[in-house]
């Protein structure tokens, strides 16, 4: 591998078709030369969630266009690239396959090395792309499908300190939006409603706060919201705009409180192991939430720890993080051949016992 690496990244594991080009020279900060994201929100709008088959077909249609646009924005040709990195899992298998096949085609056609990267590693390594930080650090990875505290000690060395035992918070935000008739993805719509509401009118449960450790649970919160909604609909025949805003504010406040308390505990556990590296970073779609970011920042300040949150566009799914995770793998001397397979499940911490769904397909987290 050359000293300077210019890598094309591809992402298609959920409902964003993304291509990006990232350049890195050792000793310098990485440069995002282009980052293209085609969302699929409109395609899934009528279904209340992401439909895997529709997502896969849309990825297959849009991936090459996203690559062309990224190359054009970066003013580069395929000959200027040093390699191709692609999300090889975890995610919706049809979409991951579309990305892996596209990456293999480009790598074979242009004679470039190929590397498959873990989507979660893409999120977890983003603070190194944006802020050039050293290992180790504590990461809270919060997305639509995942929620875990990870001690990140290397580009392929993760220790899970805690995680959700049921729903991911992004999923909970999405379900909350559905219950209240708000558009998907639910996170941004619930946050916008919550900004107009009173977070003290409805007090929702803060699950697992009484239990030691930093595992979390979000499914009871969604049920509490459902019950409260049904109670009000039965009593008043529907919800007013104020009701909806107050419900969103109460729901968001409960999520934020859980994060604040569990992050405090995760930081204590992490600092006991790595007192020399007081850094806490957050990534994943839910990290775009301003109240969540503010709470984590406060917790970090109280513990005298540096807090890092990537810009919103690099918190939600994107391909710059995949190109960067590929750069980390190439620098470590790794690459894949054309037998690279798409994996629906792929936990980052392979040593800890699975916390979720250790079924036929393997551990989810
Ligand atoms: O990381 P991401 O883009 O995709 C996954 O890998 O899951 O995360 C998407 C999730 C969705 O559930 C979405 O509702 C949530 O992140 N999200 C938010 C916000 N923006 C996106 N949740 C809360 N507040 C937000 N502002
Ligand atoms: Zn993601």
């Amino acid at each position: 591998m050359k000293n300077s690496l210019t890598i094309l990244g591809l992402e298609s594991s959920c409902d964003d078709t993304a291509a990006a080009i990232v350049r890195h020279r050792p000793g310098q900060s990485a440069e995002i030369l282009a980052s293209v994201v085609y969302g699929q929100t409109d395609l899934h709008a009528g279904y209340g969630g992401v439909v895997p088959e529709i997502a896969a077909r849309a990825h297959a249609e849009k991936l090459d266009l996203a690559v062309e646009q990224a190359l054009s924005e970066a003013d580069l040709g395929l000959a200027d690239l040093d390699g191709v990195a692609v999300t090889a899992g975890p995610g919706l298998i049809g979409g991951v396959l579309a990305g892996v096949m596209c990456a293999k085609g480009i790598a074979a056609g242009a004679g470039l090395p190929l590397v498959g990267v873990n989507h979660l590693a893409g999120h977890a390594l983003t603070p190194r792309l944006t802020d050039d930080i050293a290992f180790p650090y504590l990461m809270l990875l919060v997305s639509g499908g995942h929620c875990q505290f990870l001690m990140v000690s290397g580009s392929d060395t993760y220790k899970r300190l805690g995680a959700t035992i049921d729903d991911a918070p992004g999923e909970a935000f999405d379900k909350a939006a559905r219950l209240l008739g708000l558009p998907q993805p639910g996170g941004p719509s619930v946050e916008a409603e919550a900004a107009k509401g009173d977070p003290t009118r409805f007090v929702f449960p803060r699950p697992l706060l009484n239990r030691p450790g930093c595992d979390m649970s979000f499914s009871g919160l969604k049920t509490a919201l459902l019950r409260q909604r049904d109670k009000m609909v039965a009593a008043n025949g529907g919800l007013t705009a104020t009701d909806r805003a107050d419900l969103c504010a109460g729901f968001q406040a409960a999520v934020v409180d859980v994060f604040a308390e569990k992050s405090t505990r995760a930081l204590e556990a992490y600092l006991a192991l790595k007192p020399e590296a007081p850094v806490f970073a957050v990534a994943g779609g839910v990290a775009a939430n301003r109240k969540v970011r503010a709470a984590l920042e406060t917790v970090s300040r109280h513990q005298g720890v540096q807090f890092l949150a990537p810009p919103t566009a690099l918190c939600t799914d994107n391909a710059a993080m995949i190109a960067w995770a590929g750069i980390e793998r190439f620098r470590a001397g790794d690459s894949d051949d054309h037998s690279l397979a798409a994996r629906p499940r792929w936990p980052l911490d392979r040593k800890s016992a699975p916390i979720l769904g250790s079924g036929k397909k393997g551990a989810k987290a």
Side-chain angles (χ1 to χ4, degrees):
M1 274 282 141
K2 299 194 308 191
N3 261 344
S4 165
L5 286 183
T6 304
I7 301 297
L8 169 69
L10 296 181
E11 158 61 32
S12 56
S13 65
C14 188
D15 60 346
D16 290 300
T17 311
I21 298 168
V22 176
R23 178 172 288 159
H24 180 244
R25 297 185 177 91
Q28 294 184 20
S29 301
E31 260 179 290
I32 300 174
L33 303 180
S35 181
V36 175
V37 181
Y38 295 144
Q40 302 180 350
T41 307
D42 296 348
L43 294 179
H44 304 288
Y47 302 93
V50 177
V51 183
E53 288 75 11
I54 294 176
R57 209 168 314 136
H59 287 307
E61 282 167 8
K62 285 282 173 67
L63 272 160
D64 52 352
L65 298 176
V67 172
E68 265 178 23
Q69 193 180 327
L71 285 168
S72 142
E73 278 179 21
D75 202 15
L76 296 176
L78 288 174
D80 300 309
L81 300 176
D82 299 306
V84 183
V86 60
T87 299
L92 300 173
I93 194 66
V96 179
L97 261 173
V100 167
M101 297 312 289
C102 178
K104 283 182 185 175
I106 293 171
L112 291 168
L114 170 74
V115 71
V117 305
N118 184 312
H119 176 87
L120 302 173
H123 282 303
L125 297 171
T126 298
R128 288 173 50 77
L129 163 66
T130 54
D131 294 82
D132 207 10
I133 57 167
F135 298 117
Y137 51 92
L138 177 68
M139 152 73 40
L140 169 59
L141 200 167
V142 266
S143 69
H146 295 270
C147 179
Q148 6 185 335
F149 289 106
L150 294 164
M151 184 166 86
V152 187
S153 304
S155 61
D156 197 24
T157 316
Y158 303 89
K159 183 172 171 52
R160 195 187 67 223
L161 302 180
T164 179
I165 59 166
D166 43 50
D167 291 356
E171 203 177 346
F173 270 101
D174 293 341
K175 286 179 183 165
R178 223 168 291 142
L179 290 175
L180 299 175
L182 298 168
Q184 297 292 321
S189 22
V190 170
E191 182 177 12
E193 282 296 311
K196 298 179 264 175
D198 170 7
T200 60
R201 179 167 159 214
F202 304 107
V203 179
F204 291 116
R206 273 71 173 150
L208 295 195
L209 283 198
N210 308 332
R211 200 198 277 186
C214 40
D215 284 344
M216 292 157 282
S217 160
F218 295 96
S219 74
L221 191 50
K222 161 199 79 198
T223 314
L225 178 69
L226 170 69
R227 292 228 176 87
Q228 187 59 46
R229 180 204 68 173
D230 287 351
K231 210 161 87 186
M232 292 163 73
V233 170
N236 310 322
L239 297 178
T240 64
T242 308
D243 293 339
R244 195 173 284 126
D246 292 346
L247 286 167
C248 286
F251 173 86
Q252 183 176 264
V255 174
V256 166
D257 274 2
V258 170
F259 279 140
E261 175 59 28
K262 296 290 178 168
S263 298
T264 303
R265 295 185 202 173
L267 266 172
E268 281 163 10
Y270 167 79
L271 290 172
L273 295 166
K274 304 280 177 193
E276 72 285 5
V279 181
F280 181 33
V282 64
V286 182
N289 186 290
R290 275 163 298 223
K291 292 277 184 207
V292 170
R293 289 161 91 103
L296 300 178
E297 194 165 11
T298 305
V299 164
S300 306
R301 201 174 43 244
H302 287 161
Q303 303 223 16
V305 162
Q306 183 189 359
F307 176 66
L308 293 170
T312 307
L314 295 174
C315 284
T316 48
D317 284 350
N318 66 90
M321 68 178 191
I322 302 305
W324 173 257
I327 288 172
E328 299 247 25
R329 281 207 58 196
F330 281 132
R331 293 255 183 250
D334 294 338
S335 65
D336 287 294
D337 61 24
H338 284 250
S339 64
L340 172 68
R343 302 169 64 170
R345 293 187 174 187
W346 187 357
L348 280 180
D349 177 351
R350 293 183 293 274
K351 290 199 183 122
S352 300
I355 195 159
L356 277 177
S358 49
K360 249 196 309 199
K361 290 192 251 167
K364 192 170 166 204

